[in-house]
């Protein structure tokens, strides 16, 4: 099948590798230097134009921005099947208030919450989590230790966006789990659960990032996964009942509390770098799954995944997330049966590969056990060399 892939990061590298491995003809909207081995970059003014120029039979959308902006609606109106939610369904990620309201109406377990508008009275007595509504790219969230911090965070949120709705919610404690599923508007098919490491430094210290690494699958207590899957299925059924069917990847971010999993947020696409770890284990052709979802009917059963585990370690600029790299890449490990190297922030300059992004490369090791997958990834990370290369040393621990 001719497939157009939208997006140009490490997640899309992993998607491209898997799609190309199964013989599909790939075109890309973005010019990631790694993509040329799998297909061609289409220069066009819009995704629709790129899809028409490449005569694509399916468009697969990686990032949330184009989804929230309605790229799937535009493609559908032109009769081009697309894997991803409509703008209305993408509100599950682009509006935290929308998601909380869905959670309340359909009984999805989540933290206690309320919405504030500028000037609303609010006197916190404990630390809350304060979130600006809308897509925030990992920013716009304040996790507050006490009442004073919460009050300051609310002031900061309205200073940043005076017309915004601000969500304040109860602070939950526990390990986090990312549970992703393919959805066709009615049914969801879960993928192996993953764990992302969002903080920049070892020991979960430092600022939030897009994600410094991920491991999959994550072993959890009996019943936990079933409870998370139930939340995803109830969300998909609720969206259908509301007349906004959800198609694409629904990503539930959960906190595993002593009282059971609690939904922290939904994303409406593969997580990055969770995608790199999950797809490293995926054995089947993904295109029938993506195309089936886009047509409103996922295939029966579930995709097959390799036994064992995958661990993705992100190599970033030393100043990330505040700044990006700007240095030639001296060496990169090569892809092999048990190693996948995804370029996220690289550019071709005069025939040389440069590190130019915040997150530069993701290195994913696959092995029989999580420990061996970590070792495989970390052995290869040492082969990524550019000035200022940095990474966490505790991914998957
Ligand atoms: N890794 C977190 C995200 O993709 O949102």
């Amino acid at each position: 099948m001719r497939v157009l892939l939208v997006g140009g990061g490490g997640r899309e590298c992993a998607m491209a590798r898997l799609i190309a491995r199964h013989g599909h003809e790939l075109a890309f909207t973005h010019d990631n230097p790694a993509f040329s081995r799998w297909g061609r970059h289409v220069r066009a003014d819009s995704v629709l134009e790129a899809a028409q120029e490449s005569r694509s039979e399916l468009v697969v959308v990686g990032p949330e921005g184009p989804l929230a902006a309605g790229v799937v609606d535009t493609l559908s109106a032109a009769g081009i099947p697309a894997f991803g939610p409509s703008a209305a369904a993408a509100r599950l990620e682009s509006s935290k208030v929308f998601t909380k309201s869905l959670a309340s109406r359909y009984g999805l377990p989540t933290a206690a919450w309320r919405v504030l508008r500028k000037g609303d009275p609010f006197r916190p007595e404990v630390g809350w989590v304060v979130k600006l509504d809308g897509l925030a790219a990992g920013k716009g969230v304040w996790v507050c230790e006490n009442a004073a911090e919460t009050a300051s965070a609310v002031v900061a949120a309205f200073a940043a966006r005076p017309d915004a709705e601000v969500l304040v919610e109860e602070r939950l404690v526990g390990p986090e789990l990312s549970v992703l599923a393919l959805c066709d508007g009615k049914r969801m098919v879960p993928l192996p659960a993953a764990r992302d490491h969002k903080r920049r430094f070892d020991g979960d210290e430092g600022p939030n990032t897009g994600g410094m690494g991920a491991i999959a699958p994550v072993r959890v207590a009996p019943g936990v996964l079933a409870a998370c899957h139930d939340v995803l299925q109830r969300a998909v059924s609720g969206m259908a009942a509301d007349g906004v069917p959800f198609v694409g990847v629904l990503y539930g971010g959960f906190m595993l509390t002593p009282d059971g999993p609690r939904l922290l947020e939904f994303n409406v696409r593969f997580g990055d770098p969770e995608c790199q770890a999950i797809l490293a284990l995926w054995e089947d052709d993904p295109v029938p799954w993506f195309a089936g979802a886009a047509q409103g009917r996922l295939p029966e059963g579930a995709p097959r995944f390799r036994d064992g585990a995958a661990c993705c370690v992100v190599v970033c600029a030393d100043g990330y997330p505040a700044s990006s790299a700007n240095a030639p890449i001296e060496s990169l490990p090569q892809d092999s049966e048990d190693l996948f190297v995804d370029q996220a922030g690289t550019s071709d300059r005069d025939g040389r590969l440069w590190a130019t992004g915040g997150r530069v490369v993701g290195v994913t090791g696959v092995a029989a056990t999580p420990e061996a997958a970590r070792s495989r990834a970390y052995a290869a990370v040492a082969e990524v060399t550019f000035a200022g290369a940095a990474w966490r040393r505790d991914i998957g621990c």
Side-chain angles (χ1 to χ4, degrees):
M1 191 179 271
R2 286 186 300 278
V3 180
L4 177 71
L5 184 58
V6 180
R11 162 183 51 209
E12 288 77 23
C13 247
M15 295 167 89
R17 178 186 298 101
L18 184 62
I19 292 171
R21 188 195 296 156
H22 292 275
H24 300 283
E25 193 181 314
L26 264 166
F28 298 98
T29 55
H30 287 63
D31 194 13
N32 181 322
F35 287 172
S36 57
R37 76 186 105 147
W38 299 308
R40 71 185 178 96
H41 171 220
V42 181
R43 285 180 204 287
D45 288 336
S46 68
V47 173
L48 176 61
E49 222 180 277
Q52 287 166 333
E53 200 271 340
S54 56
R55 296 188 304 116
S56 292
E57 297 155 287
L58 175 70
V59 178
V60 176
V61 186
E64 63 276 21
L67 295 168
V71 72
V72 170
D73 309 70
T74 305
L75 291 163
S76 304
I80 301 172
F83 178 64
S86 64
R91 275 182 297 163
L92 283 177
E93 177 162 356
S94 62
S95 171
K96 296 167 181 77
V97 175
F98 177 86
T99 294
K100 283 291 194 182
S101 149
L102 184 93
S104 296
R105 281 180 297 115
Y106 291 102
L108 314 182
T110 184
W113 60 286
R114 63 174 281 202
V115 179
L116 301 177
R117 290 205 173 71
K118 196 165 165 60
D120 282 352
F122 176 60
R123 278 186 200 76
E125 287 171 1
V126 293
W128 288 70
V129 182
V130 177
K131 296 178 175 173
L132 267 174
D133 201 33
L135 287 182
K139 304 188 182 86
V141 176
W142 293 261
V143 181
C144 305
E145 296 292 334
N146 52 44
E149 270 187 29
T150 307
S152 309
V154 170
V155 170
F158 283 119
R161 291 231 325 266
D163 56 344
E165 289 187 311
V166 171
L167 183 76
V168 287
E169 64 178 357
E170 176 196 9
R171 221 184 126 171
L172 300 174
V173 183
E176 289 188 31
L177 189 69
S178 304
V179 185
L180 284 68
L182 307 173
C183 305
D184 63 8
K186 301 177 282 294
R187 179 172 157 246
M188 69 96 202
V189 174
L191 303 174
R195 179 160 289 134
D196 176 23
H197 299 257
K198 290 201 180 69
R199 299 279 180 169
R200 169 65 180 81
F201 299 116
D202 290 9
D204 290 333
E205 300 284 340
N208 251 330
T209 70
M212 294 299 297
I215 190 145
V218 177
R219 312 232 177 269
V220 289
V224 167
L225 274 185
C228 297
H229 295 164
D230 180 57
V231 169
L232 295 181
Q233 182 59 64
R234 275 196 284 146
V236 171
S237 301
M239 292 288 281
D242 289 354
V244 195
F246 185 90
V247 169
V249 175
L250 184 59
Y251 161 152
F254 290 91
M255 183 75 85
L256 306 185
T257 76
D259 301 322
R262 296 287 179 269
L263 179 71
L264 295 176
E265 62 178 5
F266 280 132
N267 294 314
V268 298
R269 32 95 196 161
F270 278 113
D272 184 345
E274 290 96 323
C275 180
Q276 289 85 315
I278 293 169
L279 296 200
L281 299 169
W282 187 318
E283 287 192 319
D284 294 328
D285 183 349
V287 168
W289 292 91
F290 297 165
Q295 282 150 11
R297 188 131 60 103
L298 281 165
E300 291 303 312
R304 282 178 309 136
F305 290 89
R306 250 160 104 153
D307 288 337
C311 177
C312 174
V313 179
V314 170
V315 181
C316 66
D318 50 5
Y320 176 71
S323 61
S324 295
N326 187 23
I329 296 183
E330 310 296 342
S331 68
L332 269 189
Q334 296 294 311
D335 275 11
S336 67
E337 268 296 292
D338 61 353
L339 189 81
F340 304 113
V341 182
D342 296 310
Q343 294 184 34
T346 60
S347 313
D348 268 331
R349 282 193 195 159
D350 300 327
R352 277 193 84 180
L353 190 64
W354 278 62
T356 49
R359 292 189 291 178
V360 175
V361 173
V363 178
T364 303
V366 182
T369 64
E371 296 71 27
R374 285 190 72 233
S375 303
R376 183 69 187 98
Y378 275 107
V381 159
E383 295 171 43
V384 180
T385 52
F386 61 88
W391 58 89
R392 275 182 64 159
R393 286 160 209 280
D394 60 351
I395 302 301
C397 287

